[in-house]
Structure formats: C-alpha cells, structure tokens
Amino acid sequence: MKKTAIILLIAVAVAIAVLNAYQLSQINLNEREKPEKIELGDVMTKLQRHSNKLWFAGINENWELTAFYIEELEESFEELSGKDIEENGVNISLLSDQMGLGSIKPIENSVKSKNIDEFRKSYIQMVNQCNACHIATKYGFVIIKPPLSPLFDNQEYGNTRSN
C-alpha cells in the first residue's frame, strides 16, 4: 500500500511538472507570436547618429569607416522594413525601403570609387530624402542637415592607422 501511494504521488508530481512545462512553453510561444514593438523615435535617433558618423568618416576619406557606417544605416532602416509600421496614415516601412535604403546605394558607389565629391553629393541627396520622408509623414518640422560637428568627438574619423 505504501509503495502504491508513493508511486501515485510520484506520478501526480510528474504529471504536474509536465503540465507546467507545457503551459510555460505555450506562454513563450504566444509571446513570440506578438509583433515586436518598434519605437520609431529610437530608430530615427540611431539613423541620425550613424549618418553623423558617416559624414565625418566620408569627408575625412576614411573609406573603411564610411563603409562600416553605411552598413549600420542599412541595418537601422531594415529594422523598419517589412513591418507595416504606420504613422499618421503613412506606411513608414515602405518609405524606409524606398527613400531610406534607396538613398544609400549612391553613397555606397561613391565609397567604392573613393570619390569625395560624389560622396558629398550622395550624402546631401540622402539628407534630402530624409526631409522628404519627414514631410510625407507630417513631421516636416524635423529638418535634417549635414552636420557641422561630430556627435561624438571622442572618435577618430580620419584614417590615421593602417591595419
């Protein structure tokens, strides 16, 4: 009788453990199904920071660093890509693809050819696309311009060290 009671208790404990594990797995599954919340302002701040660094790397003709910040910009735009994010009735994800990612290719080309004049022109075109997007989303009061000073002055933007 004692053995039967112990076996029954163990069976109940195992059943409870299995049920709890199943319930936890369902909670985790449901959490994964929820679309991630993207704070648009945070992504825009990241884009602004990377574009600032891109400018100073580019005008110093540090092409390796410039290419790095192009990749960072692409990754930030891709955070918005394909997510159907809307703001003021406008599809931000679509604009991010068209205007954001679309404006980076000319900058990439200027970096590949190490052409400082083309870099400056394509950077200004990207800034203009940012402002056009802000107007389209009713945020025209957010006006972007080429930076006059680095956001971070504790980084060397020139190509002072060779690998």
Side-chain angles (χ1 to χ4, degrees):
M1 179 84 167
K2 260 185 172 180
K3 277 186 173 179
T4 305
I6 291 173
I7 290 172
L8 187 58
L9 233 89
I10 291 172
V12 169
V14 168
I16 290 172
V18 168
L19 182 59
N20 283 338
Y22 174 76
Q23 288 174 335
L24 283 174
S25 72
Q26 291 304 303
I27 290 170
N28 290 337
L29 180 64
N30 290 338
E31 286 176 3
R32 277 186 256 134
E33 291 173 0
K34 292 178 186 173
E36 66 180 284
K37 172 81 169 109
I38 293 178
E39 180 55 49
L40 193 54
D42 291 343
V43 177
M44 291 297 138
T45 299
K46 209 181 328 182
L47 287 166
Q48 188 174 17
R49 182 178 65 238
H50 294 317
S51 64
N52 181 280
K53 289 182 167 203
L54 172 70
W55 174 255
F56 289 101
I59 63 170
N60 282 286
E61 299 184 54
N62 185 341
W63 303 119
E64 186 177 11
L65 186 60
T66 306
F68 173 79
Y69 284 116
I70 288 171
E71 287 179 32
E72 293 299 310
L73 279 172
E74 287 172 334
E75 288 174 9
S76 295
F77 278 122
E78 287 167 357
E79 285 182 50
L80 305 173
S81 225
K83 302 241 173 41
D84 291 326
I85 299 167
E86 282 202 20
E87 186 81 19
N88 294 327
V90 178
N91 188 324
I92 302 296
S93 298
L94 183 62
L95 289 178
S96 174
D97 284 344
Q98 294 173 344
M99 299 175 106
L101 286 170
S103 68
I104 292 177
K105 192 66 175 164
I107 299 173
E108 281 181 314
N109 292 338
S110 73
V111 170
K112 285 177 187 169
S113 64
K114 298 180 179 179
N115 185 323
I116 186 70
D117 293 328
E118 285 303 312
F119 170 79
R120 289 176 191 269
K121 274 196 266 185
S122 58
Y123 185 93
I124 298 293
Q125 289 170 346
M126 179 187 72
V127 167
N128 290 339
Q129 287 290 69
C130 291
N131 290 322
C133 186
H134 293 165
I135 290 168
T137 58
K138 300 174 183 67
Y139 284 97
F141 54 88
V142 178
I143 301 168
I144 304 300
K145 65 179 188 164
L148 301 175
S149 59
L151 283 175
F152 299 96
D153 63 1
N154 64 339
Q155 180 175 353
E156 181 61 51
Y157 293 99
N159 197 3
T160 60
R161 191 179 333 176
S162 61
N163 293 338

